[in-house]
Each structure stands twice: as C-alpha cells, then as structure tokens.
C-alpha cells in the first residue's frame, strides 16, 4: 500500500529516517499496532527479547531492560525533562556525540550504546514480524498514530502511577525504614503493584490493600488506599484535565453546545474522577463503547484498509492537520534584516503544498521553525535549515525569480520539496515559433506527482489578494505588489498600438523576444535530529546483524528445548504406554540415558552450540524412535487388517453371486470376474501369512508388516477389483415414438387404433372455414 504513517509535531521527525530504512524492503501487506508505554526490550548475553516476554524480565534484568522511552524522542540529553526522568529509570542514559539521548546496555557480553531511534526501530521490527506471522505475507507499510491537536504529554496513566509510588515510598520509609528508591528492582515492583491498585480502585471505592513480599532486605511491606484518598492525592493532575479540553474547543472553533457526543479512550479514562471531569466539561454523559486499549489500533487498521487496494471500505475522508504553526525566516539579499512568514497556521490541512517566490542574485538560506514555541511540548522549536543553491542573477544583472515549494507531507513532516529559477533567454525572430511552443508546454505541463500536488497554494506576491511573502527587505503584508516583481515575459503589447506608425518619426528598432525557462535548483536540507545518511546506514547494518543473531539464538534455544521436551515426554511414556514395546534391559538403559541427558542440560549443556543439542537429540532418537514406531504400529495395524478383511469379504461375495447367476452381475465377462477371484485369493493368502508371522512376534520386537504396507495392499486390491464389479449394465433401447405436427408423441399402434374408431366420423374442417354458430371453441396452436 502507499506509505501511510500519520504523524504530527516535532516528535515525528525520526520517522523520516525510519521510512528510508523501510524502503530497503519489498513486498506488500498492512499491519497495525499500538505503541504502548509498556513496550519493553530486554538485552541479554546472546539475544534481545521484545514485548511481553521482555516485560517478564523487567525486574530480573532491570539494568538491561529498556521501557518508557517514547517521550525521549526529539529531545537533547541536557533537556530538563531527560535529566529528571533518568533518575527514575532502571537503565542508564548517556549523551551521544550529536547531543541526543543514548541508552547504555550490556549486549553479547559487551557494552553497547543505542539511540532512541534504534530502540524504537527494534520495537517496530518486532511488531512487523508479529504481523507477518499472522498475515502469512510480507509487510512493508504501516500506519502509526501520533497525538496531535490538543494534549498534555505529562497527563497520563503513568503520571497517576507516580503519585501512588511517591506516596508509598514515603510511607515505607517511615513505617519500615526502607528507601525503595535506593534499589531499582524494589522500585519497579512497587510501580507494578501501584498500577494494579489503581485499576482496582477504578471499580471499588472501599479500602484496598497493597502487599509486597520480600520487598527489601527480606522484609514484607503492606499498605492500603481507597478511591477518595487517591483522588485527593492526584488533585493536581485532575485539575489539568480541562486545560487541553479548552484548547481543543478553541482550535476547532466549536462551542460545547455544538458537540453531540463524546467518546473517550485510553487507559487513564477508566479512572472515575477523570470521567467525571470530562462529563462535567461537556455537560453530557460520555460514551465508553470502544475498548480503551484497542481503539487507537482499530483506527490505524481502518486507515490501513482505506489506503490498501485490497480492501473496500465505506467512502469518507479524513483530513489530517498541522498541530503546530510553522514559519520560515530568511535574510534579505543585500541587508542584515530578516524576513519572516508563517507558511502553515495551526490546524492547517495536511498534506498541503505552497509555492513562495523570492527575488535573488545568489544562493540563499531558509530556516523553518515552530511559530509558537510555548505551545510545542518540546524545548527545540527549530525544524531545519534549507539552502537553495545554484542561484544566479539574470544576464542583464537583474534579480532572478526563484520559486520554492514548501510542503507538509502525509506524515506531517515539513520540508522544502523543490526550487526552480525562472531564467529569461532572448531569442531571434526565426526561433519565435519554437519559443512560443516551449512556453505553451511549460504552462500546460502537469505536475510530476498529481497526488502530491493536489493541495498546492501559490503564495505569489504578484497576486496581491492575500498576505504575501515579499523579498528584498519588504515585510510580509497585504501591500500592493512590488514593481520589482513584475514579470516582463507576461506583458503582451497592444496590437493596435504596435501597428500604429507615425510618418514624421523614423521606425523603432525591434525588441528581442524573450523565452522563459525554469531551471531546477538543488536544495541542501539540514533537519534537526535527522539521522545522517552514513549513520542511518550504520544503524540498518547493526539492526540486520542483531536480527540475524536473534534468529541464530532462537534456533539454538529451539534445539535445546527440543532435547528437554524429548527427555520429559519419553521418560513419562516409558513408564506408561511404551513400557510393553521395549525389553527390560533396554528399558533400564534408556531411562538412565534420559536422566544423564537431563543433568547435562542443566550443567555442562546449559550454554552449548546448536549442533551439540542436535547431536544429543539424534542420540536419544536412535533408541526412542523404534519404540515409538512399535507402539504406533500396534495401534494402527489391527485397524488396517480389519479394513483389508472387509474389502476381501466384499469382493469374494460379489464373485460368489456371479457364479450363482445373480442378475446384478450377469453382464460382466467371466474372464474379468476370474481376475477378481484371483486377486482376492492372493491378497487373502498374503494377509493370513503375515498375520500368522506377526502373532509369533512379541511387542518389543519390530513388526513383520507395517500399517503402510497393508494400506498399499488395500489400494492394489481396489484398483484391480473395483473397475470390474462396478461395470454398468448395457442400456435397452425403447421403441421410437413419432411426433405429430400439432400434438404430443403418439405410438404408431395407438394411432392406427384411433383411425379405426374414427371411421365414418365427420371429416376435419379445412383451414379458413368458420362456424360462428358452433358452441364449442376451436382449439388452436398459436406460434
């Protein structure tokens, strides 16, 4: 499907780098996923564990388990938020060379530094793998939902958990003299128990206990909390709920009365106090019909279906918006003053493109930034710098007109997509026709990407009908267009004035014709927090190596688990269903070998190569497989013999009926039936022989005949006998019937009999004769 990551805000810039990495793949398919704050990645000495399995290791391998990293995107290491958060993390945060946030873990028994983008890519890779396993097809595109419009990044379920953790940390310090913050494992356990307590309080208003065994120093701790105390504890957070709601109504230009229904989603919306605040703000009951945890994923899945050609959905449009206003700033050509223009206002429709026109004699730089830094939930307001290169003055020394297209793409990412310089080239009279043709083609040429340029607005200072970007030290305003921006190539002299001649003046010299050419200009983009090409390639290579290592480790663990499962399974069955199928001596030896293998697995074989486990399994299977086969054959062989005996009886009865002149088989040739009798006798003799031989064997010996051999005999018998005994009888032809011209088919004899009975009757009327006085109606066939 088409690329469909729906994003907004400064935290989305990392996705551009992820998309470049994604373009290395191929195939088709869609997938959906919710990026929850529980997303956990645990690093080990051999591999990585991602998802639910990693969450189980969050306490046992706390220093190497990464979680709660989503809000680190788009922030520098010296950001106050990072400095505050790092004290509450089980893993170490370090500063990278580019000033970003790095995560230090031990992986493959070595210290590694991973950027937040790498950690996120690991999670997305795991989600992609999960989707592919379920879809049974490759996945290359995804939809990611990122909050926009109005929200508070510090008002969520985790913030309510922190209030409970702070409360119980203080209580345990006073009551048990234990500092939970001094040991990260104890603190993580407290976070887990507080989250459980919070969920229980959403459905219970009574006092609820909190108990943790062996919390610290082998001491058990306990506490209690009720809903009223919890709401009092979180009063500061509850007061912040209305702020984004007011902001939302202001941005959408709606009144509370205009809202007909309110649906809330998200884990924190289950808290009764949160529901009450929202309901009170809108003055109506709120709806919770959607699953709070799955609502976002369902929305992403719907967007996938809309974008995918494989699904047909009800027609409706979803217009994304730019959550924060974006402006451009630039230096004037010959002055030190700066020009500023807001190219995309808050909640401007996206994707969208605009074209700005500048007058320049040389290369120039544009800097993009968020116009309202206070409204952006990140300290960095800059988006990036863009240098438009290869700009030069016209041959007559005049400034060149440079058209710059700015765009917010479908992912919410701002960029300067193209730039072109309008160049005037004088032409001779005989070149006029070709120049006019070039101009006509230029005016009629469609955009290169029709879909991308669907929403293109010309911010051209010649229009003079809206706020314009005016260069050369002119301010952004609604002032009339500058004389410098007047395009001469669009001026067409009046035909009457051109043809007017004055007798008393000499003829004027002909002015040279002007040909207009658009020259594409290169743009050098330097985005804030964007990964460089070399760094991105290194990340891709590193991730590829880790994926391969994870695959090898999974294969090694699978081989080890196969040995362990074989030991447990066979040891149980040797004392049960398999006991009769192995002799006493082999039974004792095999049990001893299984016990030795189990001890090896937990001692010397704890960390062996894959091949060591494969060899160990083969050693066990050399003894175990014959026992298993004897058991299976003893189960299946009687069933096959019974089926073969039934087929033999069936065909033997048919042969006997044939000899007794049964009408059902008197049409079969005698030579064919002899083949049936011969086949039945041969197979019956074979069955009797092998059954007698098998009866002489004990259960702990290999069988004389296998179930598959009996099945083959049944097939051979059926192939020989079935075509003969199922021959259909020849059909007997019935007398032919003659069809009368206007009536049903009548047998010839019946027709003669009717002729005799009608002898002397009134002859039939001729065609065309009419008897109006006759009461009986005339029967006629109408064609």
């Amino acid at each position: 499907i088409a690329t469909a990551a729906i994003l907004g805000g400064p935290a989305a810039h990392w996705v551009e780098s992820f998309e470049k990495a994604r373009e290395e793949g191929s195939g088709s398919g869609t997938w959906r996923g919710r990026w929850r704050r529980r997303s956990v990645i645990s690093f080990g000495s051999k591999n990585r564990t991602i998802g639910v399995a990693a969450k189980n290791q969050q306490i046992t391998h706390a220093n190497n388990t990464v979680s709660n990293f989503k809000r680190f995107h788009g922030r520098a290491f010296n950001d106050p938020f990072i400095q505050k958060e790092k004290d509450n993390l089980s893993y170490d945060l370090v500063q990278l060379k580019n000033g970003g946030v790095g995560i230090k873990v031990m992986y493959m028994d070595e210290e590694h530094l991973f950027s937040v983008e790498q950690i996120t890519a690991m999670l997305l890779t795991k989600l992609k793998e999960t989707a592919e396993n379920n879809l049974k097809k490759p996945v290359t595109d995804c939809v990611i939902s990122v909050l926009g419009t109005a929200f508070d990044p510090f008002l969520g379920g985790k913030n309510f958990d922190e209030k409970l953790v702070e409360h119980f940390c203080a209580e345990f310090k006073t009551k048990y003299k234990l500092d939970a913050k001094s040991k990260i494992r104890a603190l993580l356990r407290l976070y887990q128990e507080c989250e459980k307590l919070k969920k229980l309080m959403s459905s219970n208003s009574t006092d609820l206990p909190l108990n943790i065994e062996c919390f610290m120093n082998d001491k058990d701790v306990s506490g209690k909390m009720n809903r009223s105390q919890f709401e009092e504890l979180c009063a500061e957070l509850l007061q912040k709920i209305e702020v984004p709601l007011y902001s939302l109504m202001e941005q959408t230009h709606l009144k509370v009365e205009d809202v007909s229904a309110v649906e809330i989603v998200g884990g924190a919306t289950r808290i009764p106090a949160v529901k009450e605040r929202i309901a009170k703000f809108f003055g109506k009951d709120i709806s919770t019909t959607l699953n709070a945890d799955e609502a976002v994923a369902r929305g992403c899945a719907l967007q996938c279906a809309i974008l995918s050609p494989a699904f047909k959905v009800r027609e409706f449009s979803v217009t994304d918006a730019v959550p924060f206003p974006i402006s451009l700033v630039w230096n004037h050509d010959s002055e030190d003053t700066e020009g500023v223009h807001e190219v995309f206002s808050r909640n401007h429709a996206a994707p969208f493109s605009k074209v700005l026109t500048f007058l320049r004699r040389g290369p120039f730089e544009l800097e993009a930034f968020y116009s309202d830094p206070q409204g952006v939930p990140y300290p960095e307001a800059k988006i990036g710098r863009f240098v438009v290169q290869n700009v030069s003055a016209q041959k007559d020394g005049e400034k060149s007109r440079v058209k710059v297209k700015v765009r917010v793409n479908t992912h919410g990412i701002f960029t300067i997509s193209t730039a072109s310089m309008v160049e005037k080239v004088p032409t001779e009279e005989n070149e006029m026709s070709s120049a006019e043709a070039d101009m006509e083609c230029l005016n009629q040429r469609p955009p290169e990407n029709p879909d991308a340029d669907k929403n293109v607005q010309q911010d051209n200072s010649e229009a003079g009908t809206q706020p314009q970007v005016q260069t050369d030290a002119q301010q952004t305003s609604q002032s009339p267009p500058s004389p410098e921006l007047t395009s001469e190539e669009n001026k067409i002299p009046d035909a009457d004035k051109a043809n007017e001649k004055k007798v008393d003046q000499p003829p004027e010299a002909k002015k040279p014709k002007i040909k207009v050419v658009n020259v594409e200009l290169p743009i050098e983009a330097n985005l804030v927090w964007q990964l460089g090409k070399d760094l991105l390639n290194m990340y891709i290579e590193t991730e590829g190596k880790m994926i391969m290592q994870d695959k090898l480790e999974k294969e090694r663990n699978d081989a080890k688990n196969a040995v362990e499962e074989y030991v447990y399974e066979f040891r149980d069955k040797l004392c049960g269903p398999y006991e009769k199928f192995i002799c006493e001596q082999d039974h004792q030896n095999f049990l001893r070998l299984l016990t030795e293998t189990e001890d090896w697995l937990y001692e010397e074989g704890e960390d062996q190569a894959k091949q060591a486990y494969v060899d160990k399994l083969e050693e066990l299977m050399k003894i175990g497989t014959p026992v298993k086969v004897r058991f299976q054959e003893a189960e299946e062989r009687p069933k096959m013999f019974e089926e073969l005996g039934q087929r033999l009886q069936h065909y033997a009865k048919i042969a006997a009926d044939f000899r007794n002149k049964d009408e059902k088989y008197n049409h079969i040739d005698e030579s064919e039936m002899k083949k049936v009798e011969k086949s039945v006798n041969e197979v019956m003799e074979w069955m009797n022989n092998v059954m007698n031989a098998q009866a002489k064997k004990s259960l702990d010996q290999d069988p004389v005949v296998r179930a598959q051999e009996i099945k083959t005999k049944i097939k051979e018998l059926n192939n020989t006998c079935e075509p003969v005994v199922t021959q259909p009888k020849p059909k007997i032809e019935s007398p032919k019937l003659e069809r009368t011209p206007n009536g049903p088919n009548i047998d010839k004899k019946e027709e003669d009999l009717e002729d005799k009975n009608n002898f002397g009757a009134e002859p039939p009327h001729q065609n065309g004769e009419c008897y109006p006085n006759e009461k009986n109606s005339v029967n006629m066939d109408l064609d």
Side-chain angles (χ1 to χ4, degrees):
I1 65 171
T3 304
I6 303 173
L7 301 156
H13 288 306
W14 65 269
V15 176
E16 185 172 5
S17 299
F18 171 70
E19 281 197 74
K20 291 180 180 179
R22 182 187 56 76
E23 290 171 1
E24 302 293 328
S26 61
S28 63
T30 62
W31 62 282
R32 62 175 177 154
R34 185 182 178 208
W35 186 6
R36 306 182 67 186
R37 65 180 177 86
R38 301 192 193 326
S39 302
V40 181
I41 302 175
S42 181
F43 294 87
S45 59
K46 296 288 185 181
N47 67 331
R48 302 170 298 173
T49 308
I50 304 174
V52 176
K55 184 169 174 57
N56 296 333
Q57 302 177 14
Q58 194 167 6
I59 295 177
T60 56
H61 299 90
N63 294 336
N64 276 352
T65 302
V66 181
S67 62
N68 298 327
F69 53 85
K70 180 179 67 174
R71 290 188 286 186
F72 298 163
H73 278 290
R75 295 184 183 274
F77 179 76
N78 56 9
D79 188 316
F81 172 78
I82 300 294
Q83 295 302 312
K84 179 183 176 182
E85 283 291 306
K86 74 174 187 176
D87 295 333
N88 299 323
L89 298 174
S90 61
Y91 51 92
D92 294 332
L93 296 184
V94 295
Q95 185 170 1
L96 298 177
K97 293 181 180 179
N98 62 357
V101 179
I103 297 171
K104 183 171 69 173
V105 294
M106 291 296 294
Y107 173 62
M108 299 290 292
D109 296 325
E110 294 180 359
E111 188 178 276
H112 285 260
L113 289 181
F114 295 110
S115 66
V116 180
E117 291 81 5
Q118 284 180 283
I119 298 294
T120 304
M122 295 174 192
L123 172 63
L124 294 174
T125 300
K126 178 62 177 180
L127 292 175
K128 175 176 177 290
E129 178 187 329
T130 303
E132 289 178 332
N133 291 338
N134 283 274
L135 294 172
K136 302 294 188 268
K137 64 173 65 176
V139 171
T140 58
D141 296 285
C142 66
V143 169
I144 303 175
S145 177
V146 175
L147 291 175
T149 312
F151 67 97
D152 186 342
F154 306 108
L155 182 60
K158 183 174 182 291
N159 302 99
F160 286 93
D161 294 345
E162 288 173 348
K163 291 292 184 180
L164 287 173
V165 170
E166 290 293 333
H167 169 79
F168 285 110
C169 278
E171 181 177 320
F172 294 161
K173 194 169 186 178
T174 304
K175 186 176 180 181
Y176 298 102
K177 308 301 180 184
L178 296 175
D179 184 6
K181 294 183 178 181
S182 63
K183 288 190 177 181
I184 192 62
R185 291 186 180 181
L187 186 62
L188 289 174
R189 290 186 66 190
L190 183 57
Y191 263 102
Q192 291 181 354
E193 295 302 321
C194 286
E195 184 182 8
K196 294 177 184 177
L197 180 62
K198 178 190 68 176
K199 293 178 179 179
L200 290 173
M201 285 190 292
S202 295
S203 55
N204 296 276
S205 58
T206 58
D207 287 346
L208 295 172
L210 181 141
N211 300 309
I212 307 177
E213 295 181 356
C214 298
F215 181 64
M216 287 179 65
N217 304 332
D218 294 331
K219 287 186 178 181
D220 301 339
V221 295
S222 63
K224 63 180 181 178
M225 175 77 67
N226 59 44
R227 186 187 296 174
S228 299
Q229 293 172 331
F230 176 61
E231 291 176 0
E232 183 179 348
L233 198 64
C234 302
E236 181 184 354
L237 293 175
L238 295 173
Q239 290 176 359
K240 296 169 65 177
I241 291 176
E242 294 181 355
V243 177
L245 297 179
Y246 279 115
S247 176
L248 174 66
M249 303 307 292
E250 180 184 352
Q251 293 181 42
T252 56
H253 304 291
L254 293 174
K255 297 180 180 178
V256 173
E257 297 78 18
D258 299 330
V259 178
S260 56
V262 179
E263 181 80 28
I264 58 174
V265 296
T269 58
R270 293 188 176 97
I271 300 174
V274 174
K275 292 181 182 179
E276 291 172 6
R277 294 281 178 136
I278 299 175
K280 182 179 179 181
F281 178 85
F282 287 101
K284 55 175 61 67
D285 293 336
I286 55 178
S287 174
T288 56
T289 57
L290 295 175
N291 185 308
D293 292 324
E294 296 179 0
V296 176
R298 286 179 176 272
C300 291
L302 176 60
Q303 186 68 10
C304 282
I306 293 173
L307 295 168
S308 172
F311 293 89
K312 185 176 181 181
V313 297
R314 184 181 301 173
E315 292 186 6
F316 64 92
S317 62
V318 179
T319 302
D320 205 358
V322 180
F324 309 108
I326 300 175
S327 295
L328 282 178
V329 61
W330 63 90
N331 287 323
H332 289 293
D333 205 6
S334 56
E335 301 179 17
D336 294 333
T337 58
E338 290 184 341
V340 181
H341 177 62
E342 186 177 280
V343 287
F344 294 106
S345 59
R346 183 185 297 274
N347 294 327
H348 193 291
F352 205 91
S353 295
K354 292 185 179 182
V355 177
L356 311 177
T357 301
F358 296 87
L359 296 180
R360 286 290 185 272
R361 289 190 176 91
F364 61 100
E365 180 182 293
L366 300 170
E367 183 174 307
F369 64 97
Y370 292 104
S371 312
D372 181 18
Q374 302 301 324
V376 180
Y378 291 85
E380 181 60 77
K382 295 180 181 179
I383 297 175
R385 293 183 299 105
F386 305 86
V387 180
V388 182
Q389 301 175 333
N390 296 355
V391 180
S392 59
Q394 298 293 314
K395 292 184 178 180
D396 57 2
E398 292 294 323
K399 297 179 180 179
S400 296
R401 297 175 69 239
V402 180
K403 293 184 177 181
V404 176
K405 180 189 286 187
V406 296
R407 178 168 178 79
V408 172
N409 65 15
T410 187
H411 312 301
I413 299 174
F414 175 87
T415 185
I416 294 182
S417 55
T418 61
S420 61
M421 181 175 61
V422 179
E423 201 172 74
K424 300 176 184 178
V425 181
T427 59
E428 299 296 333
E429 185 69 26
N430 57 0
E431 297 179 6
M432 183 58 193
S433 59
S434 62
E436 290 176 351
D438 291 341
M439 289 181 65
E440 184 177 353
C441 292
L442 184 65
N443 293 332
Q444 296 181 357
R445 183 177 62 185
E448 294 179 2
N449 189 348
D451 294 333
D453 292 341
K454 229 177 247 185
N455 300 322
V456 178
Q457 177 178 326
Q458 296 282 340
D459 266 10
N460 193 326
S461 53
E462 293 173 15
T465 59
Q466 54 183 347
Q468 303 301 330
V469 177
Q470 297 189 3
T471 57
D472 291 334
Q474 298 194 24
Q475 301 297 323
T476 300
S477 65
Q478 292 184 335
S479 59
S482 168
E484 293 179 323
L485 299 180
T486 305
S487 58
E488 296 182 2
E489 68 270 22
N490 291 332
K491 290 183 178 179
I492 302 176
D494 190 291
D496 295 335
K497 292 182 180 179
N499 293 332
E500 185 180 342
K501 295 182 180 179
K502 294 183 179 180
V503 179
D504 56 345
Q505 291 182 0
E508 295 179 358
K510 291 184 178 180
K511 294 183 179 179
K513 303 297 181 182
I514 301 298
K515 176 182 178 181
V516 178
V517 178
N518 276 338
V519 180
E520 296 295 326
L521 302 175
I523 302 172
E524 180 186 339
N526 296 290
L527 297 177
V528 177
W529 300 121
Q530 184 187 38
L531 301 179
K533 187 175 181 180
D534 294 339
L535 184 60
L536 178 60
N537 290 335
M538 186 191 75
Y539 283 172
I540 294 173
E541 183 180 352
T542 302
E543 178 64 18
K545 291 179 180 178
M546 289 191 290
I547 290 174
M548 182 58 65
Q549 177 61 32
D550 292 343
K551 182 179 178 181
L552 294 174
E553 181 61 15
K554 182 180 182 303
E555 292 176 354
R556 191 188 75 86
N557 283 327
D558 289 345
K560 179 182 178 181
N561 292 337
V563 176
E564 188 176 38
E565 290 172 6
Y566 195 88
V567 169
Y568 292 146
E569 178 189 3
F570 241 92
R571 187 161 53 191
D572 291 341
K573 290 185 176 180
L574 280 177
C575 300
Y578 290 176
E579 188 174 5
K580 299 178 182 178
F581 299 91
I582 184 172
C583 67
E584 183 62 28
Q585 185 63 38
D586 291 343
H587 185 275
Q588 296 299 325
N589 293 337
F590 196 22
L591 280 176
R592 189 183 305 110
L593 179 60
L594 291 173
T595 303
E596 291 174 357
T597 303
E598 181 184 16
D599 295 339
W600 175 83
L601 278 173
Y602 298 124
E603 295 173 1
E604 183 184 348
E606 176 68 28
D607 189 13
Q608 295 290 327
K610 173 187 172 182
Q611 191 59 42
Y613 299 118
V614 172
D615 295 340
K616 187 66 70 172
L617 183 61
E618 289 179 354
E619 180 185 353
L620 296 176
M621 291 179 71
K622 284 180 182 179
I623 303 173
T625 300
V627 179
K628 184 177 181 180
V629 169
R630 291 174 205 145
F631 170 77
Q632 292 174 342
E633 288 295 324
E635 293 285 317
E636 295 295 324
R637 190 169 53 249
K639 299 176 184 178
M640 291 293 102
F641 272 136
E642 182 180 359
E643 183 178 347
L644 179 57
Q646 290 175 353
R647 300 310 296 171
L648 287 171
Q649 290 178 6
H650 174 67
Y651 294 127
K653 184 177 183 303
I654 292 176
D657 291 343
F658 175 80
R659 289 194 301 271
N660 294 331
K661 309 298 183 181
D662 192 322
E663 291 184 0
K664 289 192 295 186
Y665 306 108
N666 59 9
H667 61 284
I668 300 176
D669 189 84
E670 186 175 357
S671 61
E672 292 291 323
M673 191 56 72
K674 285 183 178 181
K675 293 180 181 178
V676 173
E677 292 178 342
K678 181 182 178 182
S679 179
V680 169
N681 293 333
E682 289 177 352
V683 174
M684 189 173 294
E685 182 181 1
W686 175 84
M687 186 178 74
N688 290 333
N689 291 336
V690 296
M691 287 182 72
N692 292 333
Q694 183 62 42
K696 297 176 183 179
K697 292 278 187 179
S698 61
L699 291 176
D700 59 3
Q701 292 179 312
D702 291 337
V704 175
V705 63
R706 300 279 179 104
Q708 185 60 39
E709 297 177 54
I710 305 173
K711 193 174 182 179
T712 302
K713 281 293 181 182
I714 295 173
K715 186 175 180 181
E716 291 175 357
L717 180 65
N718 287 336
N719 290 341
T720 302
C721 302
E722 199 66 17
V724 176
V725 300
T726 57
Q727 289 183 26
K729 284 190 174 185
K731 292 183 180 180
I732 301 175
E733 295 184 1
S734 59
K736 293 184 178 179
L737 300 177
E738 294 185 3
R739 181 180 293 276
T740 60
N742 293 323
N745 296 337
I746 303 175
D747 191 284
K748 188 68 176 175
K749 294 180 180 179
E750 293 179 359
E751 185 179 354
D752 293 342
L753 183 60
E754 287 180 0
D755 289 342
K756 290 180 181 180
N757 293 336
N758 294 333
F759 180 75
E762 184 179 353
H765 301 300
Q766 298 296 324
N767 292 336
E769 291 183 357
C770 181
Y771 297 89
N773 296 327
E774 187 172 346
K775 295 181 180 179
N776 295 331
S777 61
V778 181
N779 294 327
M780 302 180 65
D781 290 335
L782 300 178
D783 293 334

